[in-house]
């Protein structure tokens, strides 16, 4: 069995990352966490996570950036808000998962060909173009980009939906697409201005 | 002049039992807040005569803060209710004198709320800073001048009249 | 009369002293600059700075300067007057100056500790110095009123705190009235089986003290009674006590309880509050066998006679003392006391509020107080651990911090739950042999022999899982979970989420202020902290005093605490009351108001304003008059007087106007 | 009574039956419901992971359009309901974010104003219209029908003020008013797997199966829900569950469909036939 160093030296901890997390909207109360673990216990997906939400929070405030951003945990969050409802310190765990996901996408460290980040990205693209989301098209795109075989797997579900009139392949967008684009672009330019500062 | 940042002067009347104690607590807790407030201690916010507030503005304060116990919590049973009634009337008067909203503030701060002292003082300092100097003494001088001129005109016209009648 | 030199221009000669307070003040404020500035203010004959003004040499400096420079006023720029005003008044008196000719400037709590910019903090200190010098000129020589202290004491609340305070005072020869709202004294402690960490039986140590209260010639015990109104001031309180009807003459009943057997209800069928609803009682009842006073009472909500007027009254007919009196009415009694000890205790968190734990939904979920009754030999199951359905539990989970350390309910740590949970874990295991799990966030065992008790439990094989339980549910994922209560929790030390099936869940509910804490504190004119517990005068140096002189607090009404701390505090509160009584008198602040008769227009505006009825109207003279003894010095009348004829000592118009002008002058 | 209606993408697609029954019920109640003009996708939960400010702006556009009318907005989809409320709260708490978002909306000629009320039809039915009124309208009571009321996660957490986060009861009371019986069960607000059912089927299917299986164990003949994604997950994947865990064969209906049936509306009008798992047997010819 190959030996691997498990100890963390202080130089391995990224303080800036910890500060960044707590400075984000939603991350404010993070440092107040008392590690009670109620978030993990309430989480319906914690049984599949590599780190429980509680551990992830502690790792984030300790600056274990690499482990946090490449963890499976953040992509398993379904935004059910159970953790947030139970947290005795009112930590916005769901929002913290969002902000970690955004950072992971930005830094490109999410698991390869893993469908969830792709879903998020495709979703965003579709909104930017049409203003609305066509679920069928979204699902089709998703599987084309990640796993062909899954698409075949899902064909049964799709056929069922089609028969019941619940699937449409005609993308219907909003009328004021130009307006929506102007709004979203205004945010881009605002943010690039800020970044320039 | 415009290069120096305007630092407002705020006079605060704090009741001994709640708000003054809260300010002591803020100190003991080493909370940091703006240095613009000068506290005058009274036993009860009910002791604060509206004249005190007017006097403070007249002597050059840019803001006046009055702090007492929460309704129902007055150390003297109901002194703060009396304060509230009196100060509502005062607010109207101040408006008539040209004192803008935000320069006079009444706050209930209990002895346990050191943090509220900090936030109220900071908020009020920012608000008054944004309103700029009040300079009521300057306004008084202007008004005095106007009245003097008016008086002079009245006297002159009276003299004129007398001349005609004579 | 000291000579006036030309330097003060005929103004009274002021001595100005500024304190460094080590680096507490001098670290942020340029003390020398303020001293120099003050030296140039009108009237100031001498200005000095000193490392610690409150030290003996600091005080001596003031006293000797008074003579040396003929000082007539003193200004001390240091800390809060609430801390050291008395110190400097005494120093002035030592130098032969009337103590009320002193004014303090608070540049520590209100400046050096709250500001960081040296220049602006120093500027502020100068402004405040100028104002104090301007105001102190107007200070008149005043005398303190002395009023005698009534040696009788009122103790409110008959839990272990009230019992201990009452006995201490009574043993010192003082007459005590102990008022308790329940029918018996004993409070929460009377519900417990054993006490941590010694595991001695609660009843064995409590009931002798309860009997001692009843038997003490210096204690008047009023149970089933509540304080309605408090008037007066330190040393002289008039208290009205509401005495609820028991429908039984307390002086006649000997507690033989034959009436309970005789009641027309053959079986007990009504909610038994003392046993937390786990047992039943009859309309005529006594809370528990050692209730003190040992007197029965009748519940008007359930008694047939009181509800309908139609009952055979078998209870009354078997009573050979003729103690029953169905016509009893609520009455009020007035008592005079000099001091008051409040020991009104706590209530436990309402477990129904945390729906995720299923209290009230699953019969297997209990509160800790219920379990105290279950394990109690004199409780409803005679000490056997039996569930509501009669089964004996094979596995029990105890959840710590229910209604504690949670911003959704109570933020604070309730201090006793870790220890009582350990105690219950031990007792449950001992009584039933069940597997016991403790679910805790942090184990808090900071008392004498507490950590050792935790160690004992670890050795006993009680399971400890560090994690806050998310849910108690009856949804099963496997056959062994069927029919069980499943606890979902992260074992945080292992980093693994677990599902643990049990038969019984115990919720270790936290301690809260009593439901009527706000009303009670208003009645006694004291304060509450933001969490709702009674506020002490100083968290470290005056923990049993309040902001109202003569009113002391003891026990869990001031914050969660265990029995040893409660008893210690009760002793301290009794000692404070004794110190007041033995001094024989109190000196009142002379900051009262007075009417200048010549200027009073007789408009009567002031009369209804005074909450203490100190302002009256002399019909013959057509002038207002203020009773100096009743006046508490709020100054509301002075502020309202349209003719300016009411003056408050130390807070007169001249004094305050000078201060206003002082802080603003350039 | 008049309301604005924010359908969201699901109600125009896989949740078509929800829209049909929702509109039919409110029409029958005589309540005017008008679809928000040219609404766009709320951003749902996925967009939050891409760009926070933009996702607030997306929802903000809808809120700005809604602010032109004073009527409350009904958002039947749980995700839309949550996102719109979250946006209002987020902008209220964070002035910097609000400045950015309102600025961007201005660039698109939109005026964001506070004070819009976004409500769930459950809230409106129970608190505005009232259970008594519903009871009066019931023509064919659902007597004998045993339901498991399943709220899903996002409707009560974390922003709903009209019901309890751990044990909501609004829909139970509505179903009881329609004559149905609701089983007592602990999974009312447990997660159905959300978008994971599509992306990570092992995780998602398990969660959905647990819910369906528990409802069955408690004796429910059908599941009733106010959430289009829950309905989709619980209904459409039962075939896939069969291979892994077992076949629950449990119809999953929208609460509006059942209210409609009780009020005597036509099953086709309510989209009852659109379920993958047929509901006919459970509804026994209603």
């Amino acid at each position: 069995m190959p030996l691997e160093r498990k100890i963390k030296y202080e130089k391995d901890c990224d303080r800036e990352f910890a500060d960044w997390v707590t400075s984000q909207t939603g991350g404010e109360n993070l440092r107040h966490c008392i590690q009670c673990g109620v978030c993990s216990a309430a989480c319906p997906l914690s049984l599949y996570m590599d780190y429980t939400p509680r551990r992830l929070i502690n790792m984030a405030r300790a600056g274990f950036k690499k482990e946090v951003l490449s963890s499976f945990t953040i992509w398993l969050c379904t935004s059910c808000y159970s953790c947030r409802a139970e947290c005795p310190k009112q930590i916005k765990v769901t929002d913290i998962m969002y902000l970690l996901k955004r950072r992971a996408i930005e830094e490109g460290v999410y698991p390869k060909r893993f469908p969830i980040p792709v879903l998020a990205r495709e979703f965003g693209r579709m909104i930017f173009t049409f203003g609305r989301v066509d679920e069928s098209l979204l699902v089709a795109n998703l599987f084309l980009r990640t796993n062909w075989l899954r698409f075949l797997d899902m064909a049964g579900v799709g056929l069922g939906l089609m028969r019941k009139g619940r699937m449409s392949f005609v993308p219907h967008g909003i009328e004021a697409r130009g307006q929506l684009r102007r709004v979203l672009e205004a945010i881009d330019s605002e943010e690039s201005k800020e970044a320039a500062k | 002049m415009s290069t120096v940042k305007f630092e407002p002067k705020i006079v605060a009347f704090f009741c001994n039992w709640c708000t003054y104690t809260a300010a002591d607590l803020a100190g003991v807790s080493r909370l940091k807040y703006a240095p613009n407030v000068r506290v005058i201690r009274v036993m009860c916010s009910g002791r604060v005569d509206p004249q005190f507030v007017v006097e403070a503005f007249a002597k050059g304060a840019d803001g006046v803060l009055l702090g007492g116990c929460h309704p129902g919590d007055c150390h003297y049973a109901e002194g703060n209710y009396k304060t509230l009634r009196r100060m509502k009337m005062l607010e109207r008067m101040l408006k008539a004198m040209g004192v803008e909203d935000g320069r006079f503030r009444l706050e209930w701060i209990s002895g346990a709320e050191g943090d509220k002292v900090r936030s109220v003082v900071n908020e009020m300092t920012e608000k008054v800073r944004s309103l700029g100097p009040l300079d009521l003494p300057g306004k008084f001088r202007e008004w005095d001048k106007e009245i003097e001129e008016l008086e002079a005109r009245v006297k002159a016209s009276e003299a004129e009249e007398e001349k005609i009648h004579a | 009369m000291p000579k006036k030199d030309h330097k003060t221009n005929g103004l009274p000669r002021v001595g100005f002293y500024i304190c460094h307070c080590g680096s507490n003040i001098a670290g942020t404020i340029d003390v020398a600059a303020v001293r120099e500035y003050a030296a140039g203010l009108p009237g100031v004959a001498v200005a000095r700075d000193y490392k610690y003004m409150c030290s003996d040499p600091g005080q001596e400096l003031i006293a000797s300067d008074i003579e040396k420079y003929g000082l007539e006023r003193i200004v001390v720029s240091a800390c809060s007057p609430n801390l050291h005003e008395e110190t400097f008044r005494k120093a002035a008196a030592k130098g032969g100056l009337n103590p009320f000719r002193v004014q303090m400037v608070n540049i520590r709590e209100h400046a050096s500790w709250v500001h960081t910019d040296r220049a602006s903090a120093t500027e502020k200190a100068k402004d405040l110095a100028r104002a104090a010098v301007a105001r102190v000129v107007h200070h008149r020589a005043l005398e303190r009123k002395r009023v005698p202290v009534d040696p009788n004491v009122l103790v409110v609340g008959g839990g272990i705190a009230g019992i201990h305070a009452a006995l201490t005072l009574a043993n010192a020869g003082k007459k005590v009235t102990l008022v308790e709202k329940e029918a018996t004294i004993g409070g929460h402690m009377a519900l417990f089986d054993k006490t941590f960490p010694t595991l001695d039986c609660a009843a064995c140590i409590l009931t002798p003290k309860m009997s001692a209260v009843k038997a003490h010639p210096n204690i008047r015990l009023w149970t089933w009674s509540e304080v309605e109104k408090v008037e007066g001031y330190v040393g002289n309180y008039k208290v009205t006590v509401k005495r609820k009807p028991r429908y039984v003459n307390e002086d006649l009943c000997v507690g033989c309880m034959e009436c309970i057997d005789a009641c027309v209800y053959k079986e007990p069928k009504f909610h038994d509050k003392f046993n937390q609803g786990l047992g039943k009682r009859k309309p005529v009842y006594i809370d528990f066998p050692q209730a003190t006073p040992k007197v029965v009472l009748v519940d008007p909500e359930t008694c047939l006679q009181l509800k309908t007027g139609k009952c055979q009254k078998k209870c009354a007919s078997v009573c050979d003392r003729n103690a029953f009196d169905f016509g009893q009415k609520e009455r009020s009694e007035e008592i005079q006391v000099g001091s008051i000890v409040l020991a009104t205790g706590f209530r436990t968190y309402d477990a129904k509020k945390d729906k995720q734990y299923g209290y009230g939904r699953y019969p297997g979920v209990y509160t800790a107080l219920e379990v105290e009754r279950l394990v109690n030999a004199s409780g409803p199951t005679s000490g056997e651990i039996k569930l509501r359905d009669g089964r004996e539990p094979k596995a029990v989970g105890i959840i710590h911090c229910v209604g504690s350390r949670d911003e959704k309910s109570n933020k604070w740590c309730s201090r006793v739950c870790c220890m009582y949970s350990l105690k219950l874990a031990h007792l449950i295991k001992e009584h039933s042999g069940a597997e016991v799990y403790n679910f805790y966030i942090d184990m808090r065992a900071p008392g004498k022999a507490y950590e050792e008790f935790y160690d004992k439990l670890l050795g006993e094989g009680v399971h400890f899982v560090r994690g806050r339980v998310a849910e108690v549910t009856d949804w099963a994922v496997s056959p062994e979970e069927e029919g069980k209560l499943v606890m979902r929790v992260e074992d945080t030390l292992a980093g693994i989420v677990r599902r643990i099936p049990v038969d019984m869940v115990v919720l270790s509910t936290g301690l809260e202020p009593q439901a009527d804490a706000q009303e009670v504190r208003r009645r006694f004119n004291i304060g509450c902290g933001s969490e709702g517990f009674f506020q002490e005068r100083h968290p470290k140096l005056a923990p049993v005093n309040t902001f109202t002189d003569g009113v002391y607090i003891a026990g869990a009404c001031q914050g969660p605490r265990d029995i040893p701390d409660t008893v210690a505090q009760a002793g301290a509160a009794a000692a404070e009351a004794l110190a007041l009584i033995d001094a024989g008198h109190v000196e009142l602040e002379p900051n009262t108001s007075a009417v200048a008769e010549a200027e009073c227009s007789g408009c009567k505006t002031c009369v209804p304003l005074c909450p203490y009825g100190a302002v009256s109207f002399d019909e013959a003279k057509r002038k207002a008059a203020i009773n100096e003894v009743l006046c508490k010095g709020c100054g509301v009348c002075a502020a309202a007087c349209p003719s300016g004829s009411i003056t408050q000592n130390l807070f007169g118009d001249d004094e305050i106007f000078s201060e206003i002008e002082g802080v603003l002058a350039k | 009574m008049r309301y604005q209606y924010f359908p969201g993408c699901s109600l125009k697609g896989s949740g078509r039956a929800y829209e049909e029954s929702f509109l039919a019920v409110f029409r029958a109640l005589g309540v005017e419901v008008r679809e928000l003009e040219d609404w766009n996708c709320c951003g749902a939960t996925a967009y939050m992971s891409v760009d926070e400010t933009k996702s607030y702006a997306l929802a903000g556009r809808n809120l700005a359009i809604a602010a032109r009318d004073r009527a409350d907005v009904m958002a039947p989809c749980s995700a839309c309901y949550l996102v719109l409320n979250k946006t209002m709260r987020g902008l209220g708490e964070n002035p910097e974010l609000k400045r950015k978002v309102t600025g961007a909306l201005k660039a698109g000629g939109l005026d964001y104003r506070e004070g819009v009320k976004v409500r769930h039809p459950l809230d409106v039915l129970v608190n505005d219209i009232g259970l008594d009124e519903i009871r009066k309208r019931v023509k064919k009571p659902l007597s004998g029908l045993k339901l498991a009321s399943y709220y899903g996660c996002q409707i009560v957490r974390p922003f709903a003020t009209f019901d309890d986060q751990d044990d909501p009861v609004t829909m139970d009371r509505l179903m009881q008013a329609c004559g149905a019986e609701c089983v007592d069960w602990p999974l009312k607000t447990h997660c159905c797997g959300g978008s994971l059912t599509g992306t990570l089927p092992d995780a998602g299917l398990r969660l959905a199966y647990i819910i369906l299986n528990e409802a069955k164990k408690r004796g429910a003949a059908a599941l009733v829900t106010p959430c289009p994604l829950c309905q989709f997950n619980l209904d459409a994947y039962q075939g896939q569950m069969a291979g892994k865990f077992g076949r629950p064969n449990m119809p999953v209906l929208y609460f509006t469909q059942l209210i409609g049936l009780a009020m005597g509306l036509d099953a086709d009008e309510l989209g009852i036939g659109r379920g993958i798992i047929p509901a006919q047997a459970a509804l026994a010819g209603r």
Side-chain angles (χ1 to χ4, degrees), chain A residues 79 95 102 131 166 175-176, chain D residues 14 38 41 48 86 154 231:
Chain A
S79 312
D95 292 351
R102 284 199 297 273
R166 288 167 65 175
E175 280 162 32
Chain D
S14 63
D38 203 34
C41 171
M48 262 291 166
K86 181 181 176 138
Q154 298 191 335
Q231 200 281 338

Side-chain angles (χ1 to χ4, degrees), chain D residues 16 24 38 42 48 75 88 91 124 192 206 232:
Chain D
R16 192 159 291 168
D38 203 34
C42 71
M48 262 291 166
M88 284 191 284
L91 296 185
V124 170
C192 70
R206 178 178 173 272
F232 181 80

Side-chain angles (χ1 to χ4, degrees), chain B residues 146-164:
Chain B
E146 278 172 30
I147 289 171
E148 271 165 32
E149 278 168 17
L150 199 70
E151 248 176 341
R153 278 218 302 277
V154 170
K155 273 199 189 129
S157 68
E158 275 174 0
E160 198 100 326
E161 245 173 79
E162 261 172 49
K163 248 194 244 166
I164 294 166

Side-chain angles (χ1 to χ4, degrees), chain D residues 27-230:
Chain D
R27 202 181 311 123
L29 287 168
V31 176
E32 191 188 332
V33 172
R34 200 163 58 195
E35 188 169 322
L36 200 68
E37 198 188 321
D38 203 34
W39 55 271
N40 58 268
C41 171
C42 71
T45 50
Y47 206 64
M48 262 291 166
S49 328
V50 181
D51 190 317
E52 184 188 31
T53 317
K54 277 186 192 165
S55 77
Y56 279 119
L58 271 180
R61 178 177 176 270
N62 293 315
L63 292 167
I65 295 172
R68 294 175 189 156
D69 191 327
R70 238 181 284 158
D72 290 358
V73 178
M74 271 200 274
C77 168
S78 298
C80 301
Y81 173 78
L82 175 124
V83 168
L84 294 175
N85 274 300
K86 181 181 176 138
T87 301
M88 284 191 284
R89 188 172 307 206
L91 296 185
E93 282 172 0
N94 188 338
E96 176 55 22
L97 184 67
K98 187 174 170 184
R99 190 188 58 75
K100 267 193 221 164
V101 170
T102 49
L105 291 170
K106 268 244 160 66
L110 291 156
D111 189 12
Y112 177 82
R113 267 170 296 164
E114 275 168 8
V116 174
K117 279 209 188 98
V118 177
R119 304 177 61 194
H120 196 272
L122 278 177
D123 176 16
V124 170
L125 283 170
V126 170
N127 296 315
D128 290 8
I129 291 161
L131 290 171
D132 286 339
E133 182 62 26
I134 305 273
R135 261 182 227 110
K136 265 187 241 161
R137 305 276 186 143
V138 170
K139 290 196 185 111
K140 292 183 181 166
L142 306 173
S143 16
L145 181 60
K146 259 183 141 179
L147 297 168
S149 60
Y150 175 70
Y151 295 76
C153 41
Q154 298 191 335
I155 188 165
V156 283
R157 281 191 302 260
F159 298 117
T161 47
F162 67 87
D163 213 331
D164 188 84
Q165 296 202 339
D166 287 299
D167 187 23
V169 293
T170 320
M171 192 163 59
D172 298 60
R173 289 165 64 204
L174 268 171
M175 289 301 110
Q176 284 152 4
C178 292
E181 189 188 328
C182 289
V183 300
D184 180 31
W185 71 318
L187 300 183
K188 283 178 176 180
T189 63
H190 274 228
C191 177
C192 70
S195 54
L196 288 184
T197 319
T199 50
L200 271 185
D202 287 342
L205 288 180
R206 178 178 173 272
L207 291 179
Y209 175 75
I210 285 173
I211 287 161
L212 291 165
N213 186 46
E214 192 66 22
K216 200 172 181 180
K217 277 209 288 200
R218 309 259 169 174
L223 211 69
V224 54
T225 183
C227 172
L229 185 59
C230 298

Side-chain angles (χ1 to χ4, degrees), chain C residues 93-416:
Chain C
K94 204 171 161 205
L97 189 66
N98 182 285
F100 298 99
R101 294 196 142 150
V102 175
Q103 174 70 14
M104 272 193 87
V105 184
N106 185 348
I107 55 166
R108 194 179 71 172
E109 283 84 345
H110 289 196
S112 69
W113 277 352
V114 289
H115 306 318
T116 41
D117 178 49
R118 193 171 174 84
S120 51
T122 304
E123 207 46 46
K124 181 171 179 175
K126 285 182 188 170
D127 285 355
L128 293 173
R130 190 170 57 230
V133 170
R135 130 193 266 283
V136 80
V137 166
H138 300 282
H139 280 212
R140 284 165 286 269
L142 298 168
E143 291 299 324
R144 278 199 170 97
K145 288 185 303 266
R146 273 188 160 208
V147 293
V149 170
D150 187 319
N152 296 338
V153 187
L154 168 70
V155 176
V156 186
I160 183 59
I163 288 174
H164 188 77
L167 285 172
T168 308
L169 289 158
N171 289 340
K174 310 304 172 200
K175 298 277 183 204
V176 179
T177 303
L178 175 57
V179 173
E180 165 60 51
K181 72 173 175 204
E182 297 298 335
T184 173
I185 55 170
H188 279 97
M189 192 176 168
L191 301 173
F192 305 158
D193 178 40
K194 300 268 167 57
T195 55
F196 62 77
T198 45
L199 292 176
D200 40 2
C201 133
C204 312
I205 54 178
L206 177 66
T207 49
K209 292 194 82 145
M210 289 164 64
S211 314
V213 166
K214 181 69 192 147
H216 208 296
N218 286 339
I219 299 179
R220 174 164 58 179
L221 176 58
W222 282 355
T223 55
W224 211 233
S225 303
E226 281 172 62
V227 172
E228 244 175 350
K229 198 161 90 181
V230 181
E231 295 160 284
Y233 50 93
V234 53
N236 300 271
Y237 288 108
K238 186 168 90 182
V239 181
T240 313
V241 181
K242 177 173 84 182
R243 309 206 55 201
K244 296 175 276 187
R246 297 176 99 102
Y247 306 103
V248 170
N249 187 324
E250 217 174 297
D251 299 326
L252 295 176
C253 175
V254 292
C256 70
M257 307 200 284
E258 272 177 37
C259 48
I260 300 178
D261 286 336
C263 176
V264 294
Y265 285 101
K266 286 281 161 282
E267 290 301 321
K269 57 177 283 197
F270 301 104
H271 181 87
D272 179 357
K273 187 177 164 197
F274 187 81
N275 277 319
Q276 307 297 304
L278 293 173
K280 299 280 177 216
R281 63 160 166 74
K282 294 183 179 180
V284 55
Y285 68 101
I286 189 161
D287 279 328
F288 66 114
Q290 296 101 322
T292 307
K294 198 170 179 189
V295 172
V296 299
L297 69 161
V298 182
D299 171 23
E301 304 287 314
T302 50
C303 169
L304 273 183
Q305 174 62 23
L306 288 169
K307 262 171 56 188
T308 64
K310 286 181 210 135
C311 181
Q312 300 165 313
K313 290 183 277 185
K314 286 194 178 165
C315 51
S317 57
V318 297
C319 181
D320 54 15
R321 309 265 299 168
N322 271 327
F324 280 82
D325 176 4
F326 289 104
Q328 236 178 36
K329 292 271 176 295
E330 182 178 298
R331 65 204 154 91
S332 289
E333 289 196 48
E334 237 177 58
I335 57 171
Q336 293 283 345
V337 294
S339 46
I340 297 169
V341 176
L342 283 178
T344 51
F346 64 92
R347 67 167 172 178
T348 52
Y349 178 70
D350 177 7
K352 280 206 180 75
K353 287 189 196 160
D354 285 5
K355 290 222 165 88
Q356 70 273 28
Y357 296 149
Y359 179 73
R361 174 188 173 105
Y362 302 124
V365 182
Y366 290 79
T367 65
L369 266 189
E370 288 172 342
V371 179
E372 291 282 357
R373 297 311 296 155
L374 276 188
V375 294
N376 196 309
S378 62
T381 57
S382 309
E384 267 186 87
I385 314 281
K386 271 197 182 139
L387 297 174
R388 288 186 173 93
D389 59 12
R391 281 185 305 138
E392 279 186 29
K394 299 219 164 33
V396 180
I398 302 177
I399 306 180
H400 294 217
C401 302
V402 179
S404 297
R405 303 187 71 192
D406 183 352
E407 304 208 350
K408 302 188 298 304
S409 52
N410 300 326
K411 280 195 238 181
W412 57 89
C413 164
S414 293
R415 279 186 66 183
V416 296

Side-chain angles (χ1 to χ4, degrees), chain C residues 23-66:
Chain C
S23 64
N24 279 307
I25 292 171
T28 317
I29 290 170
D30 186 344
V31 169
V34 179
R35 184 205 64 221
E36 257 166 57
Y37 175 79
L41 290 169
V44 174
V46 59
R48 293 182 190 276
D49 63 295
Y50 192 73
K51 199 109 189 136
Y52 288 105
M53 280 309 300
C54 62
S55 66
D56 280 349
Q59 294 184 47
E60 195 47 50
L61 196 61
I62 295 175
S64 60
D65 275 3
I66 290 172

Side-chain angles (χ1 to χ4, degrees), chain A residues 163-178:
Chain A
R163 266 207 302 275
K164 303 286 182 177
R166 288 167 65 175
M167 216 163 174
S168 57
F169 275 106
V170 196
H172 52 282
I174 63 168
E175 280 162 32
R177 288 183 210 179

